[in-house]
Amino acid sequence: MSGLIDLDEDAAWAAVLRRDRSHDGRFVTGVLSTGIYCRPSCAARHPARANVRFFADGAAARGAGLRACKRCLPDDVARDETAVLAAIRAIRASEEPMALASLAADCGYSPAHFQRVFTRHTGLSPSAYARALRTERAREALSGSERVVDAIYEAGFSAPSRFYDTMKGRMGMEPSVWKNGGQGVLIHWSHAATSLGRMLVAWTDKGVCRLSFEEEAEALARRFPGAELKPAGDEAAQFVAAIVAEVESPRTGAAIPVDVRGTAFQEAVWKALSDIPPGETRSYAQIAAGIGKPAAVRAVGSACGANPVAVLIPCHRALRTDGTLGGYAYGLGIKTELLKREADCSP
């Protein structure tokens, strides 16, 4: 495979078949029968495998006599990535919210087009990325501040009310309780049968705090030593059934709240995972870039491994940079099956 590094042809073809956007920019697909080359994610009808050759980039494909696809514009990938990384740097450096029009103009794009480009690369719009960044800074400030109010202003919020409005539904427990490690929280738990194995699910009054497979209740006591653990009764049957349904047909999990704790970095990764559309995947490198820490590829993998709520935070959608599955806490068989189910349900 001419010029393609760290990715074999089978893995490249598999990425093309699933139209995996995380591989855009890593190689281009040359179609000899039409004389064009495309992004791996191109929405055009798939060519016959015998007519396909893989090239490291557009220059290599053009050297073989091919021309760029006018539908997916593969030569724009590098420009788009550079523009997104520049915008991320600008957002992180600014103390005030930045207007979409200003970010787009700095990168030479129209606002509407830049919003699509930014969202495609990071899973978030520029404004949502800025909010997520401020949320991350708030968590970091809470970890190091003696008083919650000091952390609020340190994170850049103009008033406590703005902080609580922004954090509502994002951190689960109230900031003061989160800061103290969740001492005294009541956690209900239950086991349920699924086609992927016996599921353990546990939840607080804010949302699900643990979803795992083939794990016993004793593990909850080790994970939540300060909490009161209580087996769920029949009144929770409908709630548990909704979670089982999400496991059997994983989509977004949007209707099921979660209440998770982690480091600021872990929670940023978990948020990025939750923003990946069902049926799509992202590489560790792409997730790292999306949260503004492109050098933290290995740490992203570790954060995926630390995900406390399988499926609801879809760490199964994260792949190694070379396109292989990577690890999964409950085995690659379950990860493969979850990805298959999402692909089968995708429009």
Side-chain angles (χ1 to χ4, degrees):
M1 182 159 42
S2 175
L4 190 59
I5 300 174
D6 294 333
L7 189 68
D8 63 32
E9 292 199 1
D10 289 341
W13 180 239
V16 170
L17 290 178
R18 63 177 181 266
R19 295 187 170 90
D20 192 338
R21 290 177 179 171
S22 70
H23 284 70
D24 288 355
R26 298 196 57 230
F27 66 89
V28 296
T29 307
V31 184
L32 304 186
S33 57
T34 60
I36 66 171
Y37 62 92
C38 304
R39 304 183 188 208
S41 67
C42 184
R45 182 178 178 180
H46 288 134
R49 176 66 181 88
N51 294 328
V52 170
R53 297 292 182 272
F54 299 107
F55 299 91
D57 50 34
R62 291 192 297 274
L66 304 180
R67 65 186 185 280
C69 173
K70 293 183 179 181
R71 181 170 185 174
C72 68
L73 303 173
D75 293 336
D76 286 355
V77 175
R79 180 192 176 210
D80 290 350
E81 183 172 321
T82 298
V84 169
L85 291 176
I88 286 174
R89 288 193 295 271
I91 292 170
R92 295 185 71 86
S94 177
E95 294 183 0
E96 299 293 333
M98 298 189 68
L100 173 62
S102 176
L103 286 170
D106 289 344
C107 298
Y109 291 78
S110 71
H113 181 62
F114 184 69
Q115 174 123 326
R116 289 193 297 270
V117 168
F118 193 98
T119 302
R120 184 169 63 241
H121 277 71
T122 68
L124 297 172
S125 68
S127 60
Y129 180 89
R131 290 194 298 271
L133 174 64
R134 194 150 58 153
T135 298
E136 178 185 351
R137 287 174 174 168
R139 291 189 177 107
E140 291 174 344
L142 279 169
S143 297
S145 180
E146 291 296 325
R147 298 193 310 153
V148 170
V149 68
D150 294 335
I152 290 171
Y153 290 109
E154 183 181 340
F157 291 88
S158 59
S161 60
R162 294 294 300 275
F163 169 79
Y164 284 99
D165 286 344
T166 298
M167 301 302 282
K168 185 177 181 180
R170 295 174 181 267
M171 290 177 62
M173 289 176 285
E174 294 297 322
S176 58
V177 177
W178 178 84
K179 179 176 169 57
N180 292 326
Q183 288 288 332
V185 173
L186 174 63
I187 295 178
H188 296 273
W189 65 271
S190 179
H191 278 114
T194 77
S195 61
L196 298 180
R198 187 167 176 255
M199 178 186 76
L200 171 68
V201 59
W203 62 94
T204 69
D205 62 348
K206 303 292 184 180
V208 176
C209 59
R210 182 64 174 167
L211 194 160
S212 58
F213 295 98
E214 304 301 339
E215 186 173 61
E216 299 304 321
E218 289 76 11
L220 288 176
R222 296 190 295 270
R223 181 175 287 270
F224 302 106
E228 177 187 353
L229 303 180
K230 183 178 180 180
D234 293 340
E235 72 282 355
Q238 186 174 356
F239 180 65
V240 174
I243 299 172
V244 171
E246 186 66 22
V247 170
E248 300 297 350
S249 182
R251 299 299 293 161
T252 66
I256 302 174
V258 298
D259 184 2
V260 296
R261 297 193 297 265
T263 66
F265 180 85
Q266 286 173 334
E267 293 186 15
V269 171
W270 298 341
K271 177 65 169 61
L273 290 168
S274 297
D275 290 326
I276 301 174
E280 295 186 14
T281 59
R282 299 287 187 273
S283 69
Y284 296 152
Q286 190 172 16
I287 294 170
I291 63 173
K293 298 187 178 181
V297 176
R298 183 173 297 181
V300 166
S302 297
C304 290
N307 171 23
V309 286
V311 185
L312 300 184
I313 295 178
C315 58
H316 57 274
R317 297 176 191 159
L319 306 179
R320 286 177 177 165
T321 303
D322 64 2
T324 58
L325 288 177
Y328 193 65
Y330 310 106
L332 292 184
I334 289 181
K335 182 172 186 175
T336 300
E337 179 61 23
L338 287 169
L339 290 173
K340 179 180 181 298
R341 292 178 182 185
E342 290 188 351
D344 289 344
C345 294
S346 296

